[in-house]
Amino acid sequence: MKQFVTYRRVSTAGQGRSGLGLEAQDRDIRLYLDNYADVPHEVLAEFLEVQSGADGDRPELSKALDLCRRTGAELLVAKLDRLSRRVSFIAALMDDPKVKLRVASMPNADKFQLHIYAALAEQERDFISMRTKAALGAAKARGVKLGGNRDVLLQRAEAVRRDAQDFARKVAPIVQPLRTSGATLTTIAEALDGAGIATARGGKWTATQVKRVLDRL
């Protein structure tokens, strides 16, 4: 019987108390277990961490990994960034012969694909950070006062990003299985339109919009 150890992580205590982020992780893990895991299967234990993904010392993750090494169970996470945001950490974990990793949102991905994804995600985060700093520097050079307005703009940008992420998660149960099965972006767009599902702005789907959703997932 296939055995799993699940690991979920939220960055703040507030998220843990409110359930923010946990609900989506629970949903993705359940989708994987119901649709992709071997039958029968068993969840040996569930671990929850309230800590930043940048921190290397996470006691709950250590417990989960220790249990996996002792039992041969697979470590199941909803998304790769719930495990860590550092590609070096993920690479080291994948090199551990006693740890088998499974990512619910990428159910058929092998170790090589997960490693590539982690590296690309880290590069994207670094680029976004540099781009933000460059934009702020250019604004300051033009005489734009940074401070209160900057905080408001950042809050608005974060709200937009969060809304887009939430919408992507809503359509994930349709988009991800189709993409995993080899469907093109255009085919997925047509399937969403055919199912009567509008875009976040209430319009028709295009291949570009589908790609954006997949990127956010």
Side-chain angles (χ1 to χ4, degrees), residues 7 9-12 15 49-59 61 80-90 122 125-126:
Y7 174 78
R9 181 183 63 78
V10 289
S11 299
T12 67
Q15 288 180 332
E49 197 101 63
V50 181
Q51 200 163 338
S52 169
D55 295 335
D57 183 18
R58 282 178 277 152
L61 178 57
L80 198 56
D81 66 3
R82 296 303 85 195
L83 185 61
S84 177
R85 293 185 179 277
R86 292 188 293 132
V87 66
S88 58
F89 181 93
I90 293 172
E122 185 172 84
R125 286 192 297 273
D126 290 343

Side-chain angles (χ1 to χ4, degrees), residues 58-117:
R58 282 178 277 152
E60 293 304 307
L61 178 57
S62 296
K63 294 176 186 177
L65 291 171
D66 179 63
L67 181 58
C68 288
R69 293 184 180 105
R70 287 189 287 107
T71 63
E74 289 191 6
L75 180 67
L76 176 61
V77 296
K79 295 177 61 181
L80 198 56
D81 66 3
R82 296 303 85 195
L83 185 61
S84 177
R85 293 185 179 277
R86 292 188 293 132
V87 66
S88 58
F89 181 93
I90 293 172
L93 191 60
M94 289 180 181
D95 285 339
D96 189 331
K98 293 185 178 181
V99 174
K100 298 177 183 178
L101 174 63
R102 187 65 59 184
V103 180
S105 60
M106 295 182 284
N108 297 316
D110 57 25
K111 283 188 174 183
F112 176 76
Q113 291 170 323
L114 291 175
H115 195 156
I116 294 298
Y117 177 85

Side-chain angles (χ1 to χ4, degrees), residues 12 23 27 43 51 60 69 76 84 88 96 104-105 140 148-149 157 166 168-169 176 178 190-191 203 214:
T12 67
E23 182 178 348
R27 179 206 60 207
V43 176
Q51 200 163 338
E60 293 304 307
R69 293 184 180 105
L76 176 61
S84 177
S88 58
D96 189 331
S105 60
K140 186 176 181 179
N149 289 337
D166 289 343
R169 287 170 180 151
Q176 287 181 317
L178 286 173
E190 292 172 350
L214 288 168

Side-chain angles (χ1 to χ4, degrees), residues 118-141:
L120 292 174
E122 185 172 84
Q123 287 183 24
E124 182 182 28
R125 286 192 297 273
D126 290 343
F127 181 81
I128 290 173
S129 176
M130 288 187 294
R131 184 177 62 190
T132 301
K133 291 177 181 177
L136 292 174
K140 186 176 181 179

Side-chain angles (χ1 to χ4, degrees), residues 183-217:
T184 65
L185 299 176
T186 299
T187 299
I188 296 173
E190 292 172 350
L192 290 166
D193 286 336
I197 300 173
T199 65
R201 296 185 177 181
K204 295 291 186 179
W205 286 88
T206 66
T208 299
Q209 289 168 321
V210 173
K211 185 178 185 304
R212 288 173 182 166
V213 166
L214 288 168
D215 289 343
R216 291 187 180 103
L217 294 171

